[in-house]
PDB file of all heavy atoms in Angstrom:
ATOM      1  N   GLN A  17      98.157 155.140  69.007  1.00 95.00           N
ATOM      2  CA  GLN A  17      98.187 153.759  69.449  1.00 95.00           C
ATOM      3  C   GLN A  17      97.835 152.821  68.301  1.00 95.00           C
ATOM      4  O   GLN A  17      97.021 153.147  67.434  1.00 95.00           O
ATOM      5  CB  GLN A  17      97.201 153.546  70.600  1.00 95.00           C
ATOM      6  CG  GLN A  17      97.508 154.329  71.861  1.00 95.00           C
ATOM      7  CD  GLN A  17      98.598 153.688  72.685  1.00 95.00           C
ATOM      8  OE1 GLN A  17      99.067 152.592  72.386  1.00 95.00           O
ATOM      9  NE2 GLN A  17      99.018 154.369  73.737  1.00 95.00           N
ATOM     10  N   ARG A  18      98.453 151.668  68.310  1.00 97.00           N
ATOM     11  CA  ARG A  18      98.068 150.640  67.370  1.00 97.00           C
ATOM     12  C   ARG A  18      96.705 150.094  67.775  1.00 97.00           C
ATOM     13  O   ARG A  18      96.471 149.777  68.944  1.00 97.00           O
ATOM     14  CB  ARG A  18      99.109 149.521  67.348  1.00 97.00           C
ATOM     15  CG  ARG A  18      98.856 148.464  66.298  1.00 97.00           C
ATOM     16  CD  ARG A  18     100.028 147.504  66.183  1.00 97.00           C
ATOM     17  NE  ARG A  18     101.235 148.182  65.749  1.00 97.00           N
ATOM     18  CZ  ARG A  18     102.376 147.570  65.473  1.00 97.00           C
ATOM     19  NH1 ARG A  18     102.473 146.251  65.586  1.00 97.00           N
ATOM     20  NH2 ARG A  18     103.435 148.275  65.095  1.00 97.00           N
ATOM     21  N   GLU A  19      95.814 149.994  66.811  1.00 97.00           N
ATOM     22  CA  GLU A  19      94.457 149.562  67.101  1.00 97.00           C
ATOM     23  C   GLU A  19      94.086 148.336  66.284  1.00 97.00           C
ATOM     24  O   GLU A  19      94.507 148.173  65.136  1.00 97.00           O
ATOM     25  CB  GLU A  19      93.453 150.692  66.833  1.00 97.00           C
ATOM     26  CG  GLU A  19      93.395 151.152  65.388  1.00 97.00           C
ATOM     27  CD  GLU A  19      92.318 152.192  65.144  1.00 97.00           C
ATOM     28  OE1 GLU A  19      91.435 152.360  66.008  1.00 97.00           O
ATOM     29  OE2 GLU A  19      92.353 152.848  64.080  1.00 97.00           O
ATOM     30  N   LEU A  20      93.291 147.495  66.893  1.00 98.00           N
ATOM     31  CA  LEU A  20      92.790 146.307  66.215  1.00 98.00           C
ATOM     32  C   LEU A  20      91.705 146.703  65.228  1.00 98.00           C
ATOM     33  O   LEU A  20      90.752 147.397  65.587  1.00 98.00           O
ATOM     34  CB  LEU A  20      92.249 145.314  67.233  1.00 98.00           C
ATOM     35  CG  LEU A  20      91.615 144.037  66.677  1.00 98.00           C
ATOM     36  CD1 LEU A  20      92.653 143.189  65.955  1.00 98.00           C
ATOM     37  CD2 LEU A  20      90.963 143.234  67.801  1.00 98.00           C
ATOM     38  N   VAL A  21      91.847 146.245  64.002  1.00 98.00           N
ATOM     39  CA  VAL A  21      90.895 146.550  62.949  1.00 98.00           C
ATOM     40  C   VAL A  21      89.937 145.395  62.711  1.00 98.00           C
ATOM     41  O   VAL A  21      88.726 145.583  62.623  1.00 98.00           O
ATOM     42  CB  VAL A  21      91.623 146.904  61.638  1.00 98.00           C
ATOM     43  CG1 VAL A  21      90.626 147.120  60.500  1.00 98.00           C
ATOM     44  CG2 VAL A  21      92.488 148.146  61.833  1.00 98.00           C
ATOM     45  N   ALA A  22      90.479 144.198  62.592  1.00 98.00           N
ATOM     46  CA  ALA A  22      89.665 143.032  62.289  1.00 98.00           C
ATOM     47  C   ALA A  22      90.395 141.780  62.734  1.00 98.00           C
ATOM     48  O   ALA A  22      91.623 141.759  62.814  1.00 98.00           O
ATOM     49  CB  ALA A  22      89.343 142.951  60.794  1.00 98.00           C
ATOM     50  N   GLN A  23      89.636 140.735  62.992  1.00 98.00           N
ATOM     51  CA  GLN A  23      90.199 139.478  63.451  1.00 98.00           C
ATOM     52  C   GLN A  23      89.377 138.326  62.918  1.00 98.00           C
ATOM     53  O   GLN A  23      88.153 138.430  62.797  1.00 98.00           O
ATOM     54  CB  GLN A  23      90.224 139.433  64.986  1.00 98.00           C
ATOM     55  CG  GLN A  23      90.852 138.194  65.575  1.00 98.00           C
ATOM     56  CD  GLN A  23      90.782 138.212  67.085  1.00 98.00           C
ATOM     57  OE1 GLN A  23      89.743 137.900  67.660  1.00 98.00           O
ATOM     58  NE2 GLN A  23      91.872 138.618  67.728  1.00 98.00           N
ATOM     59  N   ILE A  24      90.050 137.225  62.614  1.00 98.00           N
ATOM     60  CA  ILE A  24      89.359 136.016  62.195  1.00 98.00           C
ATOM     61  C   ILE A  24      89.976 134.831  62.924  1.00 98.00           C
ATOM     62  O   ILE A  24      91.193 134.691  63.002  1.00 98.00           O
ATOM     63  CB  ILE A  24      89.406 135.839  60.657  1.00 98.00           C
ATOM     64  CG1 ILE A  24      88.565 134.642  60.230  1.00 98.00           C
ATOM     65  CG2 ILE A  24      90.835 135.731  60.152  1.00 98.00           C
ATOM     66  CD1 ILE A  24      88.316 134.595  58.725  1.00 98.00           C
ATOM     67  N   THR A  25      89.125 133.977  63.465  1.00 96.00           N
ATOM     68  CA  THR A  25      89.565 132.818  64.217  1.00 96.00           C
ATOM     69  C   THR A  25      89.756 131.628  63.284  1.00 96.00           C
ATOM     70  O   THR A  25      89.360 131.665  62.115  1.00 96.00           O
ATOM     71  CB  THR A  25      88.547 132.453  65.298  1.00 96.00           C
ATOM     72  OG1 THR A  25      87.373 131.910  64.681  1.00 96.00           O
ATOM     73  CG2 THR A  25      88.175 133.670  66.131  1.00 96.00           C
ATOM     74  N   PRO A  26      90.359 130.541  63.798  1.00 94.00           N
ATOM     75  CA  PRO A  26      90.501 129.347  62.947  1.00 94.00           C
ATOM     76  C   PRO A  26      89.184 128.820  62.402  1.00 94.00           C
ATOM     77  O   PRO A  26      89.168 128.203  61.329  1.00 94.00           O
ATOM     78  CB  PRO A  26      91.158 128.332  63.883  1.00 94.00           C
ATOM     79  CG  PRO A  26      91.917 129.166  64.859  1.00 94.00           C
ATOM     80  CD  PRO A  26      91.063 130.376  65.073  1.00 94.00           C
ATOM     81  N   HIS A  27      88.102 129.027  63.127  1.00 93.00           N
ATOM     82  CA  HIS A  27      86.798 128.565  62.668  1.00 93.00           C
ATOM     83  C   HIS A  27      86.060 129.586  61.820  1.00 93.00           C
ATOM     84  O   HIS A  27      84.922 129.340  61.429  1.00 93.00           O
ATOM     85  CB  HIS A  27      85.937 128.160  63.855  1.00 93.00           C
ATOM     86  CG  HIS A  27      86.414 126.907  64.530  1.00 93.00           C
ATOM     87  ND1 HIS A  27      86.031 126.562  65.798  1.00 93.00           N
ATOM     88  CD2 HIS A  27      87.236 125.920  64.102  1.00 93.00           C
ATOM     89  CE1 HIS A  27      86.606 125.421  66.136  1.00 93.00           C
ATOM     90  NE2 HIS A  27      87.344 125.011  65.117  1.00 93.00           N
ATOM     91  N   GLY A  28      86.692 130.712  61.541  1.00 94.00           N
ATOM     92  CA  GLY A  28      86.102 131.686  60.653  1.00 94.00           C
ATOM     93  C   GLY A  28      85.273 132.757  61.315  1.00 94.00           C
ATOM     94  O   GLY A  28      84.627 133.550  60.611  1.00 94.00           O
ATOM     95  N   THR A  29      85.260 132.807  62.630  1.00 97.00           N
ATOM     96  CA  THR A  29      84.541 133.860  63.321  1.00 97.00           C
ATOM     97  C   THR A  29      85.276 135.182  63.155  1.00 97.00           C
ATOM     98  O   THR A  29      86.474 135.269  63.416  1.00 97.00           O
ATOM     99  CB  THR A  29      84.386 133.534  64.806  1.00 97.00           C
ATOM    100  OG1 THR A  29      83.681 132.295  64.954  1.00 97.00           O
ATOM    101  CG2 THR A  29      83.612 134.626  65.524  1.00 97.00           C
ATOM    102  N   THR A  30      84.569 136.201  62.723  1.00 98.00           N
ATOM    103  CA  THR A  30      85.181 137.496  62.451  1.00 98.00           C
ATOM    104  C   THR A  30      84.672 138.554  63.411  1.00 98.00           C
ATOM    105  O   THR A  30      83.521 138.514  63.859  1.00 98.00           O
ATOM    106  CB  THR A  30      84.906 137.951  61.016  1.00 98.00           C
ATOM    107  OG1 THR A  30      83.492 138.015  60.792  1.00 98.00           O
ATOM    108  CG2 THR A  30      85.518 136.983  60.018  1.00 98.00           C
ATOM    109  N   THR A  31      85.543 139.491  63.719  1.00 98.00           N
ATOM    110  CA  THR A  31      85.183 140.663  64.501  1.00 98.00           C
ATOM    111  C   THR A  31      85.826 141.881  63.857  1.00 98.00           C
ATOM    112  O   THR A  31      86.872 141.781  63.217  1.00 98.00           O
ATOM    113  CB  THR A  31      85.632 140.550  65.964  1.00 98.00           C
ATOM    114  OG1 THR A  31      87.050 140.325  66.012  1.00 98.00           O
ATOM    115  CG2 THR A  31      84.921 139.408  66.670  1.00 98.00           C
ATOM    116  N   TYR A  32      85.183 143.031  64.043  1.00 98.00           N
ATOM    117  CA  TYR A  32      85.647 144.258  63.429  1.00 98.00           C
ATOM    118  C   TYR A  32      85.554 145.410  64.411  1.00 98.00           C
ATOM    119  O   TYR A  32      84.670 145.452  65.267  1.00 98.00           O
ATOM    120  CB  TYR A  32      84.817 144.603  62.192  1.00 98.00           C
ATOM    121  CG  TYR A  32      84.877 143.566  61.107  1.00 98.00           C
ATOM    122  CD1 TYR A  32      83.939 142.545  61.046  1.00 98.00           C
ATOM    123  CD2 TYR A  32      85.877 143.607  60.141  1.00 98.00           C
ATOM    124  CE1 TYR A  32      83.996 141.583  60.051  1.00 98.00           C
ATOM    125  CE2 TYR A  32      85.940 142.655  59.142  1.00 98.00           C
ATOM    126  CZ  TYR A  32      84.998 141.644  59.101  1.00 98.00           C
ATOM    127  OH  TYR A  32      85.064 140.698  58.105  1.00 98.00           O
ATOM    128  N   ALA A  33      86.461 146.343  64.251  1.00 98.00           N
ATOM    129  CA  ALA A  33      86.323 147.598  64.961  1.00 98.00           C
ATOM    130  C   ALA A  33      85.090 148.327  64.456  1.00 98.00           C
ATOM    131  O   ALA A  33      84.738 148.242  63.272  1.00 98.00           O
ATOM    132  CB  ALA A  33      87.565 148.458  64.769  1.00 98.00           C
ATOM    133  N   ASP A  34      84.433 149.037  65.347  1.00 98.00           N
ATOM    134  CA  ASP A  34      83.235 149.758  64.947  1.00 98.00           C
ATOM    135  C   ASP A  34      83.502 150.723  63.794  1.00 98.00           C
ATOM    136  O   ASP A  34      82.636 150.937  62.942  1.00 98.00           O
ATOM    137  CB  ASP A  34      82.656 150.528  66.132  1.00 98.00           C
ATOM    138  CG  ASP A  34      82.023 149.622  67.172  1.00 98.00           C
ATOM    139  OD1 ASP A  34      81.701 148.465  66.839  1.00 98.00           O
ATOM    140  OD2 ASP A  34      81.843 150.074  68.315  1.00 98.00           O
ATOM    141  N   SER A  35      84.691 151.282  63.757  1.00 97.00           N
ATOM    142  CA  SER A  35      85.008 152.271  62.748  1.00 97.00           C
ATOM    143  C   SER A  35      85.085 151.702  61.337  1.00 97.00           C
ATOM    144  O   SER A  35      84.991 152.457  60.365  1.00 97.00           O
ATOM    145  CB  SER A  35      86.331 152.969  63.091  1.00 97.00           C
ATOM    146  OG  SER A  35      87.386 152.026  63.176  1.00 97.00           O
ATOM    147  N   VAL A  36      85.261 150.395  61.211  1.00 98.00           N
ATOM    148  CA  VAL A  36      85.387 149.785  59.891  1.00 98.00           C
ATOM    149  C   VAL A  36      84.274 148.802  59.591  1.00 98.00           C
ATOM    150  O   VAL A  36      84.199 148.291  58.457  1.00 98.00           O
ATOM    151  CB  VAL A  36      86.750 149.085  59.717  1.00 98.00           C
ATOM    152  CG1 VAL A  36      87.888 150.033  60.054  1.00 98.00           C
ATOM    153  CG2 VAL A  36      86.826 147.821  60.574  1.00 98.00           C
ATOM    154  N   LYS A  37      83.436 148.537  60.539  1.00 98.00           N
ATOM    155  CA  LYS A  37      82.365 147.563  60.360  1.00 98.00           C
ATOM    156  C   LYS A  37      81.470 147.954  59.187  1.00 98.00           C
ATOM    157  O   LYS A  37      81.036 149.101  59.077  1.00 98.00           O
ATOM    158  CB  LYS A  37      81.538 147.452  61.638  1.00 98.00           C
ATOM    159  CG  LYS A  37      80.565 146.282  61.646  1.00 98.00           C
ATOM    160  CD  LYS A  37      79.870 146.168  62.997  1.00 98.00           C
ATOM    161  CE  LYS A  37      78.915 144.994  63.044  1.00 98.00           C
ATOM    162  NZ  LYS A  37      79.634 143.701  62.880  1.00 98.00           N
ATOM    163  N   GLY A  38      81.215 146.995  58.331  1.00 98.00           N
ATOM    164  CA  GLY A  38      80.422 147.238  57.144  1.00 98.00           C
ATOM    165  C   GLY A  38      81.221 147.685  55.948  1.00 98.00           C
ATOM    166  O   GLY A  38      80.696 147.694  54.826  1.00 98.00           O
ATOM    167  N   ARG A  39      82.473 148.066  56.156  1.00 98.00           N
ATOM    168  CA  ARG A  39      83.330 148.515  55.065  1.00 98.00           C
ATOM    169  C   ARG A  39      84.497 147.571  54.802  1.00 98.00           C
ATOM    170  O   ARG A  39      84.937 147.439  53.663  1.00 98.00           O
ATOM    171  CB  ARG A  39      83.878 149.915  55.352  1.00 98.00           C
ATOM    172  CG  ARG A  39      82.800 150.976  55.539  1.00 98.00           C
ATOM    173  CD  ARG A  39      83.401 152.377  55.658  1.00 98.00           C
ATOM    174  NE  ARG A  39      84.264 152.504  56.834  1.00 98.00           N
ATOM    175  CZ  ARG A  39      85.567 152.780  56.777  1.00 98.00           C
ATOM    176  NH1 ARG A  39      86.163 152.974  55.599  1.00 98.00           N
ATOM    177  NH2 ARG A  39      86.277 152.889  57.895  1.00 98.00           N
ATOM    178  N   PHE A  40      85.013 146.942  55.847  1.00 98.00           N
ATOM    179  CA  PHE A  40      86.157 146.048  55.731  1.00 98.00           C
ATOM    180  C   PHE A  40      85.705 144.608  55.911  1.00 98.00           C
ATOM    181  O   PHE A  40      84.765 144.324  56.668  1.00 98.00           O
ATOM    182  CB  PHE A  40      87.213 146.363  56.788  1.00 98.00           C
ATOM    183  CG  PHE A  40      87.944 147.661  56.599  1.00 98.00           C
ATOM    184  CD1 PHE A  40      87.526 148.608  55.679  1.00 98.00           C
ATOM    185  CD2 PHE A  40      89.069 147.932  57.361  1.00 98.00           C
ATOM    186  CE1 PHE A  40      88.201 149.806  55.516  1.00 98.00           C
ATOM    187  CE2 PHE A  40      89.756 149.123  57.207  1.00 98.00           C
ATOM    188  CZ  PHE A  40      89.327 150.057  56.294  1.00 98.00           C
ATOM    189  N   THR A  41      86.399 143.709  55.248  1.00 98.00           N
ATOM    190  CA  THR A  41      86.131 142.288  55.372  1.00 98.00           C
ATOM    191  C   THR A  41      87.441 141.536  55.517  1.00 98.00           C
ATOM    192  O   THR A  41      88.324 141.652  54.660  1.00 98.00           O
ATOM    193  CB  THR A  41      85.365 141.747  54.158  1.00 98.00           C
ATOM    194  OG1 THR A  41      84.156 142.484  53.968  1.00 98.00           O
ATOM    195  CG2 THR A  41      85.025 140.271  54.368  1.00 98.00           C
ATOM    196  N   ILE A  42      87.572 140.769  56.587  1.00 98.00           N
ATOM    197  CA  ILE A  42      88.748 139.943  56.789  1.00 98.00           C
ATOM    198  C   ILE A  42      88.422 138.523  56.358  1.00 98.00           C
ATOM    199  O   ILE A  42      87.321 138.028  56.582  1.00 98.00           O
ATOM    200  CB  ILE A  42      89.226 139.985  58.254  1.00 98.00           C
ATOM    201  CG1 ILE A  42      90.564 139.259  58.413  1.00 98.00           C
ATOM    202  CG2 ILE A  42      88.177 139.430  59.204  1.00 98.00           C
ATOM    203  CD1 ILE A  42      91.205 139.428  59.783  1.00 98.00           C
ATOM    204  N   SER A  43      89.378 137.870  55.742  1.00 97.00           N
ATOM    205  CA  SER A  43      89.171 136.508  55.278  1.00 97.00           C
ATOM    206  C   SER A  43      90.499 135.775  55.217  1.00 97.00           C
ATOM    207  O   SER A  43      91.569 136.384  55.293  1.00 97.00           O
ATOM    208  CB  SER A  43      88.485 136.480  53.906  1.00 97.00           C
ATOM    209  OG  SER A  43      89.300 137.096  52.925  1.00 97.00           O
ATOM    210  N   LYS A  44      90.419 134.464  55.079  1.00 96.00           N
ATOM    211  CA  LYS A  44      91.603 133.627  54.911  1.00 96.00           C
ATOM    212  C   LYS A  44      91.371 132.631  53.794  1.00 96.00           C
ATOM    213  O   LYS A  44      90.264 132.118  53.622  1.00 96.00           O
ATOM    214  CB  LYS A  44      91.931 132.852  56.191  1.00 96.00           C
ATOM    215  CG  LYS A  44      92.421 133.669  57.347  1.00 96.00           C
ATOM    216  CD  LYS A  44      92.954 132.763  58.464  1.00 96.00           C
ATOM    217  CE  LYS A  44      91.861 131.860  59.018  1.00 96.00           C
ATOM    218  NZ  LYS A  44      92.367 130.998  60.124  1.00 96.00           N
ATOM    219  N   ASN A  45      92.411 132.353  53.048  1.00 95.00           N
ATOM    220  CA  ASN A  45      92.417 131.287  52.069  1.00 95.00           C
ATOM    221  C   ASN A  45      93.447 130.273  52.538  1.00 95.00           C
ATOM    222  O   ASN A  45      94.648 130.486  52.387  1.00 95.00           O
ATOM    223  CB  ASN A  45      92.746 131.814  50.673  1.00 95.00           C
ATOM    224  CG  ASN A  45      92.620 130.755  49.602  1.00 95.00           C
ATOM    225  OD1 ASN A  45      93.069 129.625  49.768  1.00 95.00           O
ATOM    226  ND2 ASN A  45      92.004 131.119  48.483  1.00 95.00           N
ATOM    227  N   ASN A  46      92.971 129.193  53.120  1.00 94.00           N
ATOM    228  CA  ASN A  46      93.884 128.226  53.716  1.00 94.00           C
ATOM    229  C   ASN A  46      94.784 127.570  52.677  1.00 94.00           C
ATOM    230  O   ASN A  46      95.964 127.327  52.934  1.00 94.00           O
ATOM    231  CB  ASN A  46      93.100 127.168  54.481  1.00 94.00           C
ATOM    232  CG  ASN A  46      92.467 127.708  55.740  1.00 94.00           C
ATOM    233  OD1 ASN A  46      92.961 128.665  56.343  1.00 94.00           O
ATOM    234  ND2 ASN A  46      91.371 127.100  56.159  1.00 94.00           N
ATOM    235  N   ALA A  47      94.240 127.269  51.517  1.00 93.00           N
ATOM    236  CA  ALA A  47      95.035 126.628  50.484  1.00 93.00           C
ATOM    237  C   ALA A  47      96.196 127.510  50.053  1.00 93.00           C
ATOM    238  O   ALA A  47      97.298 127.020  49.787  1.00 93.00           O
ATOM    239  CB  ALA A  47      94.164 126.269  49.288  1.00 93.00           C
ATOM    240  N   LYS A  48      95.956 128.811  49.973  1.00 95.00           N
ATOM    241  CA  LYS A  48      97.006 129.754  49.604  1.00 95.00           C
ATOM    242  C   LYS A  48      97.818 130.221  50.799  1.00 95.00           C
ATOM    243  O   LYS A  48      98.794 130.949  50.625  1.00 95.00           O
ATOM    244  CB  LYS A  48      96.410 130.957  48.875  1.00 95.00           C
ATOM    245  CG  LYS A  48      95.767 130.620  47.548  1.00 95.00           C
ATOM    246  CD  LYS A  48      95.246 131.875  46.862  1.00 95.00           C
ATOM    247  CE  LYS A  48      94.658 131.553  45.507  1.00 95.00           C
ATOM    248  NZ  LYS A  48      94.142 132.767  44.822  1.00 95.00           N
TER     249      LYS A  48
END
């Protein structure tokens, strides 16, 4: 199954799957 790894909202709130928490970081660069 396709699984959610990480998510970031327009306000920068991030969530992570337990399996990647502490190892993965999601981010956005709005200018780019």
Side-chain angles (χ1 to χ4, degrees):
Q17 297 281 354
R18 185 171 297 185
E19 63 176 345
L20 177 65
V21 176
Q23 183 182 80
I24 185 167
T25 71
H27 290 162
T29 301
T30 58
T31 57
Y32 299 92
D34 289 341
S35 59
V36 307
K37 191 175 181 63
R39 301 187 297 118
F40 290 11
T41 304
I42 187 171
S43 63
K44 291 190 298 181
N45 186 316
N46 290 332
K48 296 182 177 180

